[in-house]
Amino acid sequence: MVSGPVPHGLAGLYLASGVAFLRAEETVFEAMVTGWRAQLIGGRGLREDYVTGVVRAVKQFHAHSGSWPWLWSAGEFDEWMLDLVSVRQLAPSTIRGYQQAVAQFCDYLTSPHYGWVAECEQRFGTHPIQVCHGWNTTRHLQDYEGRPGRRPLTREELQALFDRADAEVERRLVSGRKGALPAYRDAVLLKVTYAWGLRANEAVHLDVTDFYRNAHAPEFGQFGILHVRHGKSSKGSPPKRRSVVTLRDWAVESVKDYLEHVWPLMRAEDSTAMWLSERGTRLRTRELSDRFAEYRDDLGLDRVLSPHALRHSYATHLIEEGVDPKFVQQQLGHQHQSTTSIYTKVSGDFANTMMRDALKRLRPQTEGEG
């Protein structure tokens, strides 16, 4: 007997006790999924899109196994994993996401709070078990499992990218072609993404009202702090917010000029969105990625580079300039320093400088020992 408020996902809310169904297995399975979805959204407050993704993963396992959750076994799960790894060759992060989805679903079914064990015992003479264990799931051994070729831009590459973006504005103006305003918008967007260390989704969702004064940096005026409202969420939770302190004066000047001369000409009525398309809608991450790719390819840079390289570059360049890694971590919104470390790849010149400094410190000690 469950005391207190009725928990979301309770079996009794989705199945009438003692009622025989024409297609019992299918009916119970759908009730399980519906109850789990309600528990994730109503009980835990997770996002609809996240919940849709994990439910899809569970249904994929169901289809692959050809059996019902109260009959699932670790062996069937192992076979599915073998298919995902060897046949479909999915990325480790994707595979782990599938594993976590099935593990969470099994946790829900086997929990005494929701009544599914008793329901299955009554109807099918057996009950669901947890099929995901430490020996058949992938542990998160590192923070970054993306494409290893991705890296920060060198300072020369970054400058070339900004120059190419600025040149596009001039080219369209001189030729009399349409699109000078969008080209100017994109040039500033690329600079803002780098100068505040933003993810692409964070950048495109900026509003002009997201900038604030910083009493400790009055020289930046109203652009001393950038409030990021659409930070990366975790496991379906709402977007994380953070405040990023402004550090680059040239970026402030670029934003000022854009807001004064270009944004009013593109602004939709009553909209505070900072980046608008020609149709008056908020710019999407795809449009940022497309423009970055266009300039990247024109410059002959590595095709593996994406707008996220600007965020990597932000972190790397700050570390090279001697900024405290803890401060960089806070600016990026990382919970752990280990995550920030994978964003930084110092240049060869910086590494050589650090090596020479270390040798200078070590040499007197070595000579003294002799």
Side-chain angles (χ1 to χ4, degrees), residues 144 151-152 308-317 342-344:
Y144 179 67
R151 58 170 179 80
H308 205 65
L310 297 172
R311 181 169 161 87
H312 282 243
S313 305
Y314 171 84
T316 295
H317 296 167
I342 62 175
Y343 272 67
T344 58

Side-chain angles (χ1 to χ4, degrees), residues 1 47 92 98 167 187 191 229 250:
M1 178 72 65
R47 296 196 326 269
Y98 286 173
K191 295 171 184 175
R229 295 174 294 106
W250 56 264

Side-chain angles (χ1 to χ4, degrees), residues 8 13 26 39 52 66 68 77 101 105 145 173 177 226 275 280 300 305 310 313 362:
H8 295 275
L13 296 176
E26 182 176 338
Q39 189 267 339
T52 298
W68 305 104
F77 183 76
F105 184 59
E145 293 178 333
L173 288 173
R177 296 176 57 190
L226 178 61
W275 321 107
L305 294 174
L310 297 172
S313 305
L362 291 173

Side-chain angles (χ1 to χ4, degrees), residues 212 225-228 241-246 330-333:
Y212 296 90
I225 296 175
L226 178 61
H227 184 54
V228 178
R241 297 178 176 234
R242 73 179 187 279
S243 294
V244 182
V245 177
T246 300
Q330 293 174 346
Q331 290 280 92
L332 294 174

Side-chain angles (χ1 to χ4, degrees), residues 2 7 47 60 73 79 150 222 225:
V2 178
R47 296 196 326 269
Q60 287 181 15
S73 67
E79 292 177 1
R150 288 185 175 174
Q222 69 181 76
I225 296 175

Side-chain angles (χ1 to χ4, degrees), residues 11-81:
L13 296 176
Y14 303 95
L15 287 175
S17 179
V19 175
F21 300 104
L22 183 62
R23 302 166 65 179
E25 290 87 354
E26 182 176 338
T27 301
V28 171
F29 176 60
E30 289 301 323
M32 287 175 166
V33 172
T34 302
W36 186 44
R37 175 185 287 274
Q39 189 267 339
L40 293 176
I41 296 177
R44 298 175 56 187
L46 301 184
R47 296 196 326 269
E48 178 73 30
D49 58 343
Y50 171 81
V51 174
T52 298
V54 294
V55 167
R56 185 186 304 115
V58 166
K59 289 188 174 181
Q60 287 181 15
F61 176 46
H62 164 62
H64 185 274
S65 67
S67 63
W68 305 104
W70 49 92
L71 299 175
W72 285 348
S73 67
E76 289 176 324
F77 183 76
D78 291 346
E79 292 177 1
W80 187 45
M81 288 296 102

Side-chain angles (χ1 to χ4, degrees), residues 77-144:
F77 183 76
D78 291 346
E79 292 177 1
W80 187 45
M81 288 296 102
L82 182 63
D83 178 69
L84 297 182
V85 173
S86 302
V87 179
R88 297 178 61 185
Q89 298 183 346
L90 299 183
S93 57
T94 303
I95 291 173
R96 189 171 53 255
Y98 286 173
Q99 292 173 346
Q100 291 173 345
V102 174
Q104 290 178 39
F105 184 59
C106 291
D107 281 343
Y108 161 72
L109 295 183
T110 57
S111 170
H113 298 290
Y114 302 107
W116 291 107
V117 170
E119 191 71 39
C120 290
E121 286 279 9
Q122 176 187 343
R123 293 181 182 276
F124 310 115
T126 186
H127 59 82
I129 62 173
Q130 177 59 264
V131 300
C132 302
H133 305 282
W135 63 82
N136 64 355
T137 56
T138 302
R139 289 184 299 172
H140 194 166
L141 300 179
Q142 58 186 29
D143 294 283
Y144 179 67

Side-chain angles (χ1 to χ4, degrees), residues 104-300:
Q104 290 178 39
F105 184 59
C106 291
D107 281 343
Y108 161 72
L109 295 183
T110 57
S111 170
H113 298 290
Y114 302 107
W116 291 107
V117 170
E119 191 71 39
C120 290
E121 286 279 9
Q122 176 187 343
R123 293 181 182 276
F124 310 115
T126 186
H127 59 82
I129 62 173
Q130 177 59 264
V131 300
C132 302
H133 305 282
W135 63 82
N136 64 355
T137 56
T138 302
R139 289 184 299 172
H140 194 166
L141 300 179
Q142 58 186 29
D143 294 283
Y144 179 67
E145 293 178 333
R147 301 172 69 178
R150 288 185 175 174
R151 58 170 179 80
L153 299 167
T154 66
R155 295 178 187 274
E156 292 75 17
E157 290 172 337
L158 182 68
Q159 187 60 57
L161 179 72
F162 291 162
D163 289 345
R164 173 64 184 86
D166 292 339
E168 182 66 18
V169 181
E170 184 67 22
R171 186 177 71 86
R172 291 178 180 271
L173 288 173
V174 171
S175 65
R177 296 176 57 190
K178 294 182 179 179
L181 292 180
Y184 193 106
R185 172 205 63 202
D186 294 340
V188 179
L189 173 55
L190 290 171
K191 295 171 184 175
V192 167
T193 303
Y194 165 76
W196 280 272
L198 305 178
R199 300 178 179 91
N201 188 62
E202 294 171 349
V204 298
H205 279 95
L206 290 178
D207 281 359
V208 296
T209 54
D210 289 333
F211 285 98
Y212 296 90
R213 293 181 178 275
N214 183 352
H216 301 286
E219 65 271 24
F220 295 132
Q222 69 181 76
F223 301 97
I225 296 175
L226 178 61
H227 184 54
V228 178
R229 295 174 294 106
H230 288 266
K232 185 177 180 180
S233 59
S234 177
K235 295 184 179 180
S237 61
K240 295 180 180 179
R241 297 178 176 234
R242 73 179 187 279
S243 294
V244 182
V245 177
T246 300
L247 301 173
R248 308 292 186 184
D249 53 0
W250 56 264
V252 171
E253 293 303 318
S254 182
V255 170
K256 283 182 179 179
D257 190 69
Y258 168 75
L259 293 181
E260 182 178 349
H261 298 105
V262 176
W263 182 71
L265 300 177
M266 301 189 70
R267 179 190 182 190
E269 185 178 358
D270 298 329
S271 174
T272 58
M274 192 164 178
W275 321 107
L276 293 165
S277 69
E278 294 89 323
R279 299 181 299 277
T281 58
R282 187 184 293 274
L283 216 62
R284 299 168 298 178
T285 55
R286 167 55 59 186
E287 291 160 318
L288 169 59
S289 297
D290 289 345
R291 185 53 65 98
F292 179 92
E294 176 188 346
Y295 295 159
R296 176 202 64 200
D297 294 345
D298 287 349
L299 295 170

